[in-house]
Amino acid sequence: MATQLTEAVRRRSTRRPSAAEGPRHPAVALAMALPCAALLVVLFGGWDHLAAQADAVATLIGR
């Protein structure tokens, strides 16, 4: 079993990344994260909590 594991690691480490696997634009991460965050806010009723936290932060900053 250890031989199989080391073979898999060796094969994975020698694979060259293609140009398409390079760093992604931050907007891509934002486009993926915002729908998930919105869904969680709606499902768990977090809108009131989010508003309360934003108000607390604004008060701390002094605005």
Side-chain angles (χ1 to χ4, degrees):
M1 175 125 173
T3 306
Q4 291 175 347
L5 182 60
T6 55
E7 288 292 323
V9 171
R10 189 176 306 135
R11 272 186 265 139
R12 189 179 313 136
S13 64
T14 59
R15 187 177 67 90
R16 294 182 181 236
S18 67
E21 293 179 5
R24 291 191 176 100
H25 195 277
V28 174
L30 189 64
M32 289 171 25
L34 278 180
C36 294
L39 180 67
L40 289 173
V41 165
V42 170
L43 283 177
F44 294 107
W47 185 253
D48 294 331
H49 186 73
L50 179 69
Q53 288 293 326
D55 185 45
V57 169
T59 303
L60 268 171
I61 293 173
R63 293 186 176 190

